[in-house]
Structures are given as C-alpha cells and as structure tokens.
Amino acid sequence: MEGGGRPSAVQAVLLAASTALTALLYSVYRQKAHVARGLEGARRVRLDGDLRAVLLEAPGRCVPYAVIEGVVQSVKETLNSQFVENCKGVIQRLTLQEHKMVWNRTTHLWNDCAKIIHQRTNTTPFDLVPQQEGAGVTVRVMKPLEAAELSLETVYEKFHPSVQSFTDVIGHYISGERPKGIQETEQMLKVGTVLTGVGELVLDNTTIKLQPPKQGTPYYLSGVDFHSLLQKQEANARFWKILTVVFGFATCTILFFMLRKQYRHHRERRHLRQMQDEFRQAQERLTREMKAEGGDTLRNPCVICLSNAKTCVFLECGHVCSCNECYRALPEPKMCPICKQAISRVVPLYNS
C-alpha cells in the first residue's frame, strides 16, 4: 500500500489483469457450455425408411439440430489417392509443411517450428447411407469443409530432409534459422467411413440434406460416435470452468489482501488519532492543575517551547522532553530532539 492506504500501481495492475482474464475465461466457458448443452439437446434420428416421414411431419420439413449416423458414399465419381493404390475418397487434402529450427535469443535454445507452405483440398459430393444395405434412403452432406471435427485419415506421409552444405550450415547459424526439411501429407475422407453428422436436417423436394445450422450452433462431421463426441465437448467445457474458478479465486485473493491492508491502515490511523486526543487531554489537565496551584514556573518544561509541561515519552529511545504540540510540530520523519533517534511511537505521560 502507498501513503493514505491507497493500493500501489503494481497491485492495481495485477488486480485489473486478473479480473480481465477471469472475465475472458468465463466468456469462453459460457460459450463451450452452450455448445455442449446444444449438442446434448440435439434430436437423434435414424437413417432408415421412416426418416422421410419424420421430416414431413416436422415444421418446415426441417429438424434444426439433428444427429444422424451413416456410411460415406460418393454420389458420382470418387477421388483417387495420389500415392496409395485403390484408396478412394470424397475429400482429399494435400499439404506441404516446412519444418525448421529457430534460435530463441531469450532462452538460447533451438526451437522446432512448422509452417504450411502449400495446401490444397479437393471435394466431391457424397451421401450418408445406412450401415445396413437395402434401406433405400440417403442424406446428402452439404458444405463438409465447414464442419468441425472433420475426420480425415492420413493415408500418406513422407518427410524430405534438407541437404545442406558446410557453407549453408554456417549461414543458418548466423541467420538463426536452420531448415530441417519438407513434410508431404495426404489426408482423405475415404468411402465407407462411418460418420456422425450433427447439423440441420432438411427435406428439399425429394433430397434429404444435412447442412450447417442457421442458428449458429456448431456443425459436426466426426468419425466417433455421438456419445464420445458429447463427452469430448463436456470435458472441454469443464476444463474452461476449472480455469475460470482458479483465476476467479486468485482475483478474490488479491482483492482480499488489498482490503485487509487498507483496513489495517485505517485502524492504525484511528489508533493514532486516539493517542493524540489522549495527549491533548493530558496536557489540558496538567495546565489546569498548574493554574489551580497558582504556579508560574514549570518544574519540567518542554525542551522546545519551554512553556508547556513534558507530556510525551518517545520510543524507542525513552526520552521525556516534549509536549504534545511540539511533538506534532516536529518535521517528518520525526526524530527525538535529544538523541536524534527516529520516533516509532509516542506514549502519553501522566503526572500524579
């Protein structure tokens, strides 16, 4: 605490930063909890012959947030892997990623760094069909690249190390960047993959479509079952909740210590005012007693003003040499006029 009981600049900044971080974490937690609650409330429908009847009975032929499971099947042609024979899919993602070591001037260590230098994604229309053959119903998947948890399987991965000469090595140490190589990756959503789709299910003429929800809830195309997907989102929400509670407790702790210090400062000032009142009352009583005795000369006068009686005991030195008015008039920091030692506190002197 600074003078007057006010918090210091460091304490104020720490409290403000902790409060802002707690508010940010709480906002993220509310968003994650809203996603988990929305996913828990999604309507589960079966991909069978009754699906069309369910949509015909729904308002607007639409289920705003539905869960459906099916097998990936291409509508027309399929995408062939560039590196793996007889590997067919409906989404293909080719990635070139550069790996290098970067010198950290703070820690004086080489850190791994990866950067995507090229990425291309190819898609073809596909449906979700029942796992049991013969149901005769399909669901067209719309805008699959907008889905979260999109399950792409890595079918090919190869690392091409960099070839470096001695001159290159010296140049890399001078520049602080040391290339390691290029990683080439191919990911695909293969035909026959079982997917769990969560989104808006709508009957458009004769086609059943699964598309991103209009109300802003997340759109999922996941390779895990619905129960596992829900557990993952709930665990994510719990993680942010724990962080919010921890930083909220830290904020309350900082605020408690600041208020406690301020209360102590207020109590010390009140005690000091009480002692000053006692000094003044003692001096007035001594003055009245001397006037009643009719004495014109003080036997123990103040060494500073020589007109009032000594009423103060200075600690820690123990000198009795001043009246209350002269003590209060001493410059800061207050020092004993006899021995020049710092005065930590003052005790009133009572003469009986």
Side-chain angles (χ1 to χ4, degrees):
M1 288 286 178
E2 294 179 346
R6 296 186 302 273
S8 64
V10 175
Q11 291 174 334
V13 169
L14 186 61
L15 179 62
S18 180
T19 303
L21 185 57
T22 302
L24 178 62
L25 292 174
Y26 179 69
S27 176
V28 176
Y29 159 68
R30 287 191 59 183
Q31 180 184 0
K32 300 296 183 182
H34 177 72
V35 170
R37 287 194 299 268
L39 189 61
E40 186 177 8
R43 180 178 177 181
R44 302 197 64 176
V45 295
R46 297 179 60 86
L47 187 54
D48 53 20
D50 298 332
L51 179 59
R52 190 177 300 275
V54 171
L55 291 175
L56 287 173
E57 296 176 357
R61 297 185 176 183
C62 172
V63 178
Y65 209 42
V67 181
I68 193 165
E69 296 182 0
V71 178
V72 174
Q73 176 180 285
S74 177
V75 175
K76 297 179 181 179
E77 71 280 356
T78 58
L79 300 174
N80 295 316
S81 171
Q82 293 187 4
F83 305 98
V84 182
E85 294 183 359
N86 299 323
C87 182
K88 301 180 181 296
V90 293
I91 299 178
Q92 180 188 49
R93 180 171 293 165
L94 301 170
T95 305
L96 290 179
Q97 191 174 39
E98 179 186 17
H99 291 265
K100 60 183 177 180
M101 304 288 287
V102 178
W103 177 254
N104 190 319
R105 300 184 185 277
T106 303
T107 60
H108 298 284
L109 296 173
W110 288 96
N111 298 327
D112 288 322
C113 181
K115 181 179 68 173
I116 295 177
I117 57 177
H118 179 73
Q119 188 174 78
R120 187 183 69 201
T121 303
N122 303 318
T123 62
T124 186
F126 68 95
D127 293 337
L128 293 181
V129 299
Q131 299 185 32
Q132 297 81 13
E133 297 181 359
V137 61
T138 62
V139 174
R140 180 68 50 84
V141 178
M142 311 300 294
K143 301 179 180 180
L145 297 182
E146 296 183 11
E149 306 283 339
L150 181 59
S151 299
L152 297 181
E153 179 183 349
T154 301
V155 297
Y156 176 81
E157 187 174 21
K158 185 175 182 180
F159 184 76
H160 304 275
S162 299
V163 179
Q164 303 176 15
S165 64
F166 180 73
T167 306
D168 294 334
V169 172
I170 296 176
H172 296 155
Y173 273 97
I174 295 175
S175 64
E177 292 186 359
R178 189 171 61 190
K180 295 176 62 178
I182 302 295
Q183 184 172 357
E184 189 176 14
T185 306
E186 182 183 22
Q187 297 173 299
M188 296 189 71
L189 177 59
K190 297 196 295 186
V191 174
T193 303
V194 178
L195 279 186
T196 300
V198 184
E200 183 181 71
L201 202 61
V202 59
L203 178 61
D204 184 8
N205 295 327
T206 60
T207 305
I208 302 176
K209 296 180 179 179
L210 179 68
Q211 58 191 15
K214 294 184 176 64
Q215 63 268 30
T217 47
Y219 179 39
Y220 294 101
L221 289 175
S222 176
V224 300
D225 60 278
F226 175 72
H227 181 68
S228 301
L229 181 62
L230 179 59
Q231 281 188 331
K232 181 178 180 180
Q233 301 306 317
E234 290 177 342
N236 197 9
R238 283 196 300 270
F239 170 77
W240 288 100
K241 181 179 181 180
I242 292 173
L243 283 182
T244 303
V245 171
V246 170
F247 279 90
F249 178 76
T251 302
C252 293
T253 303
I254 295 172
L255 183 61
F256 169 75
F257 279 106
M258 291 175 63
L259 293 177
R260 189 180 70 168
K261 288 184 178 181
Q262 193 169 9
Y263 169 74
R264 287 182 175 179
H265 179 80
H266 173 72
R267 188 175 59 181
E268 291 175 358
R269 287 178 61 86
R270 185 176 60 184
H271 181 65
L272 179 60
R273 285 195 299 268
Q274 183 179 358
M275 292 182 62
Q276 290 174 348
D277 293 340
E278 292 178 356
F279 292 161
R280 184 173 60 255
Q281 293 173 4
Q283 184 181 14
E284 292 174 355
R285 186 171 60 252
L286 289 174
T287 302
R288 287 195 302 267
E289 290 176 356
M290 287 186 296
K291 288 182 179 180
E293 293 175 358
D296 296 332
T297 305
L298 294 176
R299 288 184 293 178
N300 292 312
C302 170
V303 298
I304 299 176
C305 66
L306 300 177
S307 59
N308 297 325
K310 300 175 182 177
T311 58
C312 301
V313 180
F314 295 156
L315 299 178
E316 303 292 334
C317 64
H319 284 120
V320 182
C321 58
S322 170
C323 63
N324 183 41
E325 281 76 5
C326 292
Y327 160 71
R328 295 173 61 183
L330 289 175
E332 296 289 346
K334 298 185 183 299
M335 301 177 65
C336 175
I338 301 299
C339 63
K340 303 301 180 182
Q341 186 175 343
I343 301 173
S344 60
R345 62 191 183 98
V346 179
V347 177
L349 177 66
Y350 301 100
N351 295 321
S352 58

